[in-house]
Amino acid sequence: MAPPGRAPDTPGWQVRVVPNLYPAFEHQEVIVHTPRHVRTLAELDDEELGMIAVAWHERLGAAREAGFDYPFLLFNEGREAGASLPHTHSQLVWLREAAPEVQNELPRLAAGTCALCDVLTDGALEIAVDGELSLRAAPAGRAPYEVLIAPRVHEAKPDLEGLGSALRLLRLTVSRLRALEGPTPLNAWLHLGVHWHFEVVPRLPVLAGLELGGGIFVNWLAPEEAAVRLRD
Ligand SMILES: [Zn+2]
Ligand SMILES: [Zn+2]
């Protein structure tokens, strides 16, 4: 992506969007977060995060304009979490229909009876705020330190400012996790459509038979305790 007045694909890029070399979908993009060879979001500065927010905002808009109403933005960090490159990046998969997980949660997030709005009123789970966004421990996390990043207002999709706040809270999560547990592989993704939010799942325990076969997730860390640890 070129800054105003510059052609795309010329030297001096700051955030670069390229098609996935091995796409599993009709249209899949890789967003390279910085030209610096940096492995983790924790090492990016505010200016770099601002550029990523612009790229995310622009590409989400491009997907919708092309008729893909449910673009799926995801971020994997660490090889154990499926990151295919050691250089920090995110991916955007253009989907025409909501992914199954999004479909599943739609009824729970309906306006008026939104479970996420409820979570946002529980002060014991709050870790940090940035602008209109709140970072909180997930009330029924699948993994220790699972967190949610969401706007306090019930809105379907983020604006540029919201994405900037979300990126700073994502970086904060990665940094605090590194301080607590060392470099931690994790997956994060954006859910759109009702009350938008990022879910962040650190990959501390290995998913095994009980989790994959039974859908039973044993989490050894209570969300209130996770919030306390991630706050400091
Ligand atoms: Zn809501
Ligand atoms: Zn969700």
Side-chain angles (χ1 to χ4, degrees):
M1 217 178 66
R6 271 236 322 271
D9 293 320
T10 52
W13 62 274
Q14 288 173 288
V15 169
R16 195 175 174 93
V17 180
V18 293
N20 192 313
L21 285 178
Y22 309 100
F25 298 91
E26 199 176 333
H27 189 118
Q28 188 173 1
E29 298 173 340
V30 175
I31 297 141
V32 185
H33 290 164
T34 170
R36 299 191 295 127
H37 187 70
V38 166
R39 284 172 183 271
T40 170
L41 202 71
E43 288 175 42
L44 299 184
D45 62 29
D46 284 354
E47 196 182 333
E48 288 168 318
L49 293 188
M51 291 296 297
I52 300 166
V54 170
W56 281 2
H57 190 249
E58 193 167 290
R59 300 314 298 160
L60 286 166
R64 285 206 198 84
E65 255 171 54
F68 295 80
D69 289 336
Y70 291 90
F72 194 79
L73 179 69
L74 65 128
F75 165 66
N76 302 326
E77 183 164 306
R79 201 150 42 111
E80 300 87 341
S84 45
L85 308 165
H87 190 127
T88 181
H89 67 286
S90 46
Q91 294 186 60
L92 185 66
V93 182
W94 292 22
L95 299 180
R96 294 187 192 275
E97 284 165 26
E101 281 291 324
V102 175
Q103 299 267 21
N104 287 344
E105 73 178 16
L106 284 177
R108 287 189 289 119
L109 303 186
T113 57
C114 174
L116 188 50
C117 284
D118 280 349
V119 171
L120 286 160
T121 60
D122 186 347
L125 300 179
E126 185 154 86
I127 298 160
V129 291
D130 187 303
E132 295 298 311
L133 266 65
S134 172
L135 167 66
R136 339 202 115 227
R142 286 152 284 198
Y145 304 105
E146 182 170 333
V147 298
L148 295 166
I149 295 168
R152 291 173 186 287
V153 289
H154 186 87
E155 63 187 8
K157 60 178 189 189
D159 59 12
L160 179 57
E161 207 183 337
L163 290 173
S165 289
L167 273 157
R168 287 188 293 273
L169 291 173
L170 269 171
R171 178 181 60 188
L172 185 76
T173 304
V174 174
S175 307
R176 299 250 166 106
L177 269 171
R178 289 171 80 84
L180 286 164
E181 302 283 344
T184 305
L186 58 87
N187 303 110
W189 51 82
L190 171 62
H191 277 170
L192 295 165
V194 194
H195 186 158
W196 73 270
H197 57 279
F198 278 89
E199 298 178 13
V200 185
V201 181
R203 298 296 293 275
L204 289 166
V206 173
L207 297 182
L210 189 60
E211 293 84 5
L212 296 174
I216 299 168
F217 295 87
V218 180
N219 183 349
W220 43 261
L221 187 64
E224 293 79 9
E225 175 61 19
V228 168
R229 293 193 196 177
L230 288 168
R231 227 178 268 148
D232 308 319

Short mmCIF file of all heavy atoms in Angstrom, two decimals, residues 180-221:
data_model
loop_
_atom_site.label_atom_id
_atom_site.label_comp_id
_atom_site.label_asym_id
_atom_site.label_seq_id
_atom_site.Cartn_x
_atom_site.Cartn_y
_atom_site.Cartn_z
N LEU A 180 4.62 -12.25 31.29
CA LEU A 180 4.14 -13.24 32.25
C LEU A 180 4.62 -14.66 31.93
O LEU A 180 4.98 -15.42 32.83
CB LEU A 180 2.60 -13.27 32.25
CG LEU A 180 1.87 -12.11 32.92
CD1 LEU A 180 0.41 -12.10 32.48
CD2 LEU A 180 1.94 -12.23 34.44
N GLU A 181 4.59 -15.02 30.65
CA GLU A 181 4.79 -16.42 30.26
C GLU A 181 5.91 -16.62 29.25
O GLU A 181 6.09 -17.73 28.75
CB GLU A 181 3.49 -16.99 29.67
CG GLU A 181 2.27 -16.91 30.59
CD GLU A 181 2.30 -17.98 31.69
OE1 GLU A 181 3.07 -18.94 31.57
OE2 GLU A 181 1.56 -17.82 32.68
N GLY A 182 6.62 -15.54 28.87
CA GLY A 182 7.61 -15.64 27.80
C GLY A 182 6.90 -15.56 26.45
O GLY A 182 5.68 -15.44 26.40
N PRO A 183 7.68 -15.63 25.34
CA PRO A 183 7.05 -15.54 24.02
C PRO A 183 5.93 -16.59 23.91
O PRO A 183 6.17 -17.78 24.10
CB PRO A 183 8.19 -15.84 23.05
CG PRO A 183 9.42 -15.48 23.82
CD PRO A 183 9.12 -15.78 25.27
N THR A 184 4.72 -16.13 23.64
CA THR A 184 3.55 -17.00 23.67
C THR A 184 2.89 -17.04 22.30
O THR A 184 2.47 -16.00 21.80
CB THR A 184 2.52 -16.47 24.71
OG1 THR A 184 3.18 -16.33 25.97
CG2 THR A 184 1.34 -17.39 24.85
N PRO A 185 2.81 -18.22 21.69
CA PRO A 185 2.09 -18.28 20.41
C PRO A 185 0.62 -17.96 20.66
O PRO A 185 0.08 -18.32 21.71
CB PRO A 185 2.26 -19.74 19.96
CG PRO A 185 2.72 -20.49 21.15
CD PRO A 185 3.30 -19.52 22.13
N LEU A 186 0.01 -17.26 19.73
CA LEU A 186 -1.41 -16.94 19.91
C LEU A 186 -2.11 -16.73 18.57
O LEU A 186 -1.48 -16.48 17.55
CB LEU A 186 -1.58 -15.71 20.80
CG LEU A 186 -0.93 -14.39 20.40
CD1 LEU A 186 -1.83 -13.59 19.48
CD2 LEU A 186 -0.61 -13.56 21.63
N ASN A 187 -3.43 -16.87 18.62
CA ASN A 187 -4.28 -16.59 17.47
C ASN A 187 -5.24 -15.48 17.86
O ASN A 187 -5.75 -15.47 18.98
CB ASN A 187 -5.09 -17.82 17.07
CG ASN A 187 -4.22 -19.02 16.76
OD1 ASN A 187 -4.21 -19.99 17.50
ND2 ASN A 187 -3.49 -18.96 15.67
N ALA A 188 -5.48 -14.57 16.93
CA ALA A 188 -6.48 -13.52 17.15
C ALA A 188 -7.27 -13.37 15.86
O ALA A 188 -6.76 -13.67 14.78
CB ALA A 188 -5.80 -12.21 17.52
N TRP A 189 -8.54 -12.98 15.99
CA TRP A 189 -9.35 -12.79 14.79
C TRP A 189 -10.44 -11.77 15.07
O TRP A 189 -10.79 -11.52 16.23
CB TRP A 189 -9.97 -14.11 14.34
CG TRP A 189 -10.68 -14.85 15.42
CD1 TRP A 189 -11.96 -14.61 15.85
CD2 TRP A 189 -10.16 -15.90 16.24
NE1 TRP A 189 -12.27 -15.47 16.86
CE2 TRP A 189 -11.18 -16.26 17.13
CE3 TRP A 189 -8.93 -16.56 16.30
CZ2 TRP A 189 -11.02 -17.26 18.09
CZ3 TRP A 189 -8.76 -17.55 17.25
CH2 TRP A 189 -9.80 -17.91 18.13
N LEU A 190 -10.94 -11.21 13.99
CA LEU A 190 -11.99 -10.19 14.07
C LEU A 190 -13.33 -10.82 13.70
O LEU A 190 -13.46 -11.42 12.63
CB LEU A 190 -11.65 -9.05 13.09
CG LEU A 190 -12.71 -7.98 12.85
CD1 LEU A 190 -13.05 -7.21 14.12
CD2 LEU A 190 -12.23 -7.01 11.76
N HIS A 191 -14.30 -10.67 14.59
CA HIS A 191 -15.67 -11.11 14.30
C HIS A 191 -16.52 -9.88 14.00
O HIS A 191 -16.61 -8.96 14.81
CB HIS A 191 -16.26 -11.87 15.49
CG HIS A 191 -15.88 -13.32 15.52
ND1 HIS A 191 -16.11 -14.14 16.58
CD2 HIS A 191 -15.29 -14.09 14.56
CE1 HIS A 191 -15.68 -15.37 16.30
NE2 HIS A 191 -15.16 -15.35 15.09
N LEU A 192 -17.12 -9.87 12.81
CA LEU A 192 -17.93 -8.74 12.36
C LEU A 192 -19.40 -9.14 12.32
O LEU A 192 -19.73 -10.31 12.41
CB LEU A 192 -17.50 -8.35 10.93
CG LEU A 192 -16.09 -7.81 10.76
CD1 LEU A 192 -15.71 -7.83 9.29
CD2 LEU A 192 -15.99 -6.41 11.32
N GLY A 193 -20.26 -8.16 12.18
CA GLY A 193 -21.64 -8.48 11.84
C GLY A 193 -22.69 -8.07 12.85
O GLY A 193 -23.79 -7.72 12.46
N VAL A 194 -22.40 -8.12 14.16
CA VAL A 194 -23.41 -7.73 15.14
C VAL A 194 -22.79 -6.73 16.13
O VAL A 194 -23.06 -5.54 16.07
CB VAL A 194 -23.97 -8.95 15.90
CG1 VAL A 194 -25.24 -8.56 16.65
CG2 VAL A 194 -24.28 -10.08 14.93
N HIS A 195 -21.96 -7.23 17.01
CA HIS A 195 -21.18 -6.37 17.91
C HIS A 195 -19.74 -6.80 17.67
O HIS A 195 -19.31 -7.85 18.14
CB HIS A 195 -21.62 -6.62 19.36
CG HIS A 195 -21.00 -5.70 20.36
ND1 HIS A 195 -21.57 -5.47 21.60
CD2 HIS A 195 -19.87 -4.96 20.31
CE1 HIS A 195 -20.80 -4.62 22.27
NE2 HIS A 195 -19.75 -4.31 21.52
N TRP A 196 -19.02 -6.00 16.88
CA TRP A 196 -17.69 -6.46 16.43
C TRP A 196 -16.74 -6.59 17.60
O TRP A 196 -16.85 -5.88 18.60
CB TRP A 196 -17.14 -5.55 15.34
CG TRP A 196 -16.66 -4.18 15.77
CD1 TRP A 196 -17.39 -3.03 15.83
CD2 TRP A 196 -15.32 -3.81 16.15
NE1 TRP A 196 -16.61 -1.99 16.24
CE2 TRP A 196 -15.33 -2.43 16.44
CE3 TRP A 196 -14.12 -4.52 16.27
CZ2 TRP A 196 -14.18 -1.73 16.86
CZ3 TRP A 196 -12.98 -3.82 16.69
CH2 TRP A 196 -13.02 -2.46 16.96
N HIS A 197 -15.80 -7.51 17.45
CA HIS A 197 -14.82 -7.74 18.51
C HIS A 197 -13.67 -8.58 17.99
O HIS A 197 -13.81 -9.29 16.98
CB HIS A 197 -15.47 -8.46 19.70
CG HIS A 197 -16.11 -9.76 19.34
ND1 HIS A 197 -17.36 -9.84 18.76
CD2 HIS A 197 -15.67 -11.04 19.43
CE1 HIS A 197 -17.66 -11.10 18.53
NE2 HIS A 197 -16.64 -11.86 18.92
N PHE A 198 -12.55 -8.48 18.67
CA PHE A 198 -11.44 -9.41 18.44
C PHE A 198 -11.46 -10.42 19.57
O PHE A 198 -11.71 -10.08 20.72
CB PHE A 198 -10.09 -8.68 18.48
CG PHE A 198 -9.73 -7.99 17.19
CD1 PHE A 198 -10.12 -6.68 16.96
CD2 PHE A 198 -9.00 -8.64 16.21
CE1 PHE A 198 -9.80 -6.03 15.77
CE2 PHE A 198 -8.66 -8.01 15.03
CZ PHE A 198 -9.06 -6.69 14.81
N GLU A 199 -11.19 -11.68 19.25
CA GLU A 199 -10.95 -12.70 20.24
C GLU A 199 -9.47 -13.06 20.15
O GLU A 199 -8.93 -13.17 19.04
CB GLU A 199 -11.81 -13.95 19.96
CG GLU A 199 -13.30 -13.66 20.04
CD GLU A 199 -14.17 -14.87 19.72
OE1 GLU A 199 -13.65 -16.00 19.67
OE2 GLU A 199 -15.37 -14.66 19.51
N VAL A 200 -8.82 -13.20 21.28
CA VAL A 200 -7.39 -13.54 21.30
C VAL A 200 -7.21 -14.79 22.15
O VAL A 200 -7.57 -14.79 23.34
CB VAL A 200 -6.55 -12.38 21.90
CG1 VAL A 200 -5.06 -12.71 21.79
CG2 VAL A 200 -6.87 -11.06 21.22
N VAL A 201 -6.70 -15.85 21.54
CA VAL A 201 -6.52 -17.12 22.25
C VAL A 201 -5.04 -17.49 22.30
O VAL A 201 -4.45 -17.88 21.30
CB VAL A 201 -7.32 -18.26 21.57
CG1 VAL A 201 -7.15 -19.57 22.33
CG2 VAL A 201 -8.80 -17.90 21.47
N PRO A 202 -4.40 -17.32 23.47
CA PRO A 202 -3.02 -17.76 23.63
C PRO A 202 -2.97 -19.28 23.56
O PRO A 202 -3.86 -19.96 24.06
CB PRO A 202 -2.63 -17.28 25.03
CG PRO A 202 -3.67 -16.25 25.39
CD PRO A 202 -4.92 -16.67 24.68
N ARG A 203 -1.90 -19.81 22.94
CA ARG A 203 -1.84 -21.26 22.73
C ARG A 203 -0.89 -21.89 23.74
O ARG A 203 0.08 -22.53 23.37
CB ARG A 203 -1.41 -21.53 21.29
CG ARG A 203 -2.40 -20.98 20.27
CD ARG A 203 -3.76 -21.66 20.36
NE ARG A 203 -3.66 -23.04 19.98
CZ ARG A 203 -3.72 -23.49 18.73
NH1 ARG A 203 -3.96 -22.64 17.75
NH2 ARG A 203 -3.58 -24.75 18.45
N LEU A 204 -1.20 -21.70 25.02
CA LEU A 204 -0.36 -22.28 26.06
C LEU A 204 -0.58 -23.79 26.17
O LEU A 204 0.37 -24.55 26.12
CB LEU A 204 -0.60 -21.56 27.39
CG LEU A 204 -0.03 -20.12 27.42
CD1 LEU A 204 -0.58 -19.34 28.59
CD2 LEU A 204 1.49 -20.16 27.47
N PRO A 205 -1.82 -24.28 26.34
CA PRO A 205 -1.99 -25.74 26.37
C PRO A 205 -2.10 -26.27 24.94
O PRO A 205 -2.57 -25.56 24.06
CB PRO A 205 -3.32 -25.92 27.11
CG PRO A 205 -4.01 -24.60 27.08
CD PRO A 205 -3.08 -23.56 26.55
N VAL A 206 -1.66 -27.48 24.73
CA VAL A 206 -1.80 -28.12 23.42
C VAL A 206 -3.21 -28.71 23.35
O VAL A 206 -3.67 -29.36 24.28
CB VAL A 206 -0.76 -29.25 23.25
CG1 VAL A 206 -1.00 -30.02 21.97
CG2 VAL A 206 0.65 -28.65 23.25
N LEU A 207 -3.91 -28.45 22.24
CA LEU A 207 -5.25 -29.02 22.08
C LEU A 207 -5.11 -30.51 21.83
O LEU A 207 -4.38 -30.93 20.95
CB LEU A 207 -5.98 -28.37 20.90
CG LEU A 207 -6.27 -26.87 21.05
CD1 LEU A 207 -7.04 -26.36 19.84
CD2 LEU A 207 -7.02 -26.56 22.34
N ALA A 208 -5.81 -31.33 22.62
CA ALA A 208 -5.70 -32.79 22.50
C ALA A 208 -7.09 -33.40 22.36
O ALA A 208 -8.04 -32.71 22.00
CB ALA A 208 -4.93 -33.34 23.69
N GLY A 209 -7.21 -34.70 22.67
CA GLY A 209 -8.45 -35.43 22.42
C GLY A 209 -9.67 -34.85 23.10
O GLY A 209 -10.74 -34.74 22.49
N LEU A 210 -9.51 -34.45 24.36
CA LEU A 210 -10.66 -33.93 25.11
C LEU A 210 -11.20 -32.66 24.46
O LEU A 210 -12.41 -32.47 24.35
CB LEU A 210 -10.22 -33.66 26.56
CG LEU A 210 -11.32 -33.32 27.56
CD1 LEU A 210 -12.33 -34.46 27.68
CD2 LEU A 210 -10.71 -33.02 28.93
N GLU A 211 -10.29 -31.80 24.03
CA GLU A 211 -10.69 -30.52 23.43
C GLU A 211 -11.25 -30.72 22.03
O GLU A 211 -12.35 -30.25 21.71
CB GLU A 211 -9.48 -29.56 23.36
CG GLU A 211 -8.97 -29.09 24.72
CD GLU A 211 -8.01 -30.08 25.36
OE1 GLU A 211 -7.66 -31.10 24.71
OE2 GLU A 211 -7.60 -29.84 26.52
N LEU A 212 -10.49 -31.45 21.18
CA LEU A 212 -10.90 -31.59 19.78
C LEU A 212 -12.10 -32.52 19.63
O LEU A 212 -12.99 -32.27 18.83
CB LEU A 212 -9.72 -32.10 18.93
CG LEU A 212 -8.52 -31.15 18.84
CD1 LEU A 212 -7.37 -31.84 18.10
CD2 LEU A 212 -8.90 -29.86 18.14
N GLY A 213 -12.10 -33.61 20.41
CA GLY A 213 -13.16 -34.59 20.25
C GLY A 213 -14.38 -34.30 21.09
O GLY A 213 -15.52 -34.56 20.67
N GLY A 214 -14.16 -33.76 22.28
CA GLY A 214 -15.27 -33.52 23.19
C GLY A 214 -15.76 -32.08 23.21
O GLY A 214 -16.83 -31.79 23.72
N GLY A 215 -14.93 -31.17 22.67
CA GLY A 215 -15.29 -29.76 22.77
C GLY A 215 -15.25 -29.29 24.22
O GLY A 215 -15.90 -28.34 24.60
N ILE A 216 -14.46 -30.01 25.04
CA ILE A 216 -14.35 -29.66 26.46
C ILE A 216 -12.98 -29.03 26.69
O ILE A 216 -11.95 -29.65 26.44
CB ILE A 216 -14.51 -30.93 27.34
CG1 ILE A 216 -15.90 -31.53 27.10
CG2 ILE A 216 -14.31 -30.60 28.81
CD1 ILE A 216 -16.07 -32.93 27.68
N PHE A 217 -12.99 -27.78 27.11
CA PHE A 217 -11.75 -27.04 27.28
C PHE A 217 -11.50 -26.85 28.77
O PHE A 217 -12.32 -26.28 29.48
CB PHE A 217 -11.83 -25.69 26.58
CG PHE A 217 -11.94 -25.82 25.08
CD1 PHE A 217 -13.17 -25.97 24.46
CD2 PHE A 217 -10.80 -25.82 24.29
CE1 PHE A 217 -13.27 -26.11 23.08
CE2 PHE A 217 -10.89 -25.96 22.91
CZ PHE A 217 -12.12 -26.11 22.31
N VAL A 218 -10.37 -27.37 29.23
CA VAL A 218 -10.03 -27.23 30.64
C VAL A 218 -9.09 -26.03 30.77
O VAL A 218 -7.98 -26.02 30.25
CB VAL A 218 -9.34 -28.51 31.18
CG1 VAL A 218 -8.99 -28.35 32.64
CG2 VAL A 218 -10.25 -29.71 30.97
N ASN A 219 -9.57 -25.00 31.45
CA ASN A 219 -8.81 -23.76 31.59
C ASN A 219 -8.40 -23.61 33.05
O ASN A 219 -9.25 -23.48 33.93
CB ASN A 219 -9.70 -22.59 31.14
CG ASN A 219 -8.98 -21.25 31.18
OD1 ASN A 219 -7.89 -21.14 31.73
ND2 ASN A 219 -9.60 -20.24 30.60
N TRP A 220 -7.07 -23.66 33.31
CA TRP A 220 -6.61 -23.64 34.70
C TRP A 220 -6.55 -22.24 35.31
O TRP A 220 -6.19 -22.08 36.47
CB TRP A 220 -5.25 -24.32 34.85
CG TRP A 220 -4.23 -24.00 33.78
CD1 TRP A 220 -3.93 -24.76 32.69
CD2 TRP A 220 -3.37 -22.85 33.70
NE1 TRP A 220 -2.95 -24.17 31.94
CE2 TRP A 220 -2.59 -23.00 32.54
CE3 TRP A 220 -3.19 -21.73 34.50
CZ2 TRP A 220 -1.64 -22.04 32.14
CZ3 TRP A 220 -2.26 -20.78 34.10
CH2 TRP A 220 -1.49 -20.94 32.94
N LEU A 221 -6.93 -21.21 34.52
CA LEU A 221 -6.84 -19.85 35.04
C LEU A 221 -8.22 -19.17 35.00
O LEU A 221 -8.80 -19.00 33.94
CB LEU A 221 -5.83 -19.05 34.21
CG LEU A 221 -5.47 -17.66 34.69
CD1 LEU A 221 -4.76 -17.71 36.04
CD2 LEU A 221 -4.57 -16.97 33.67
#
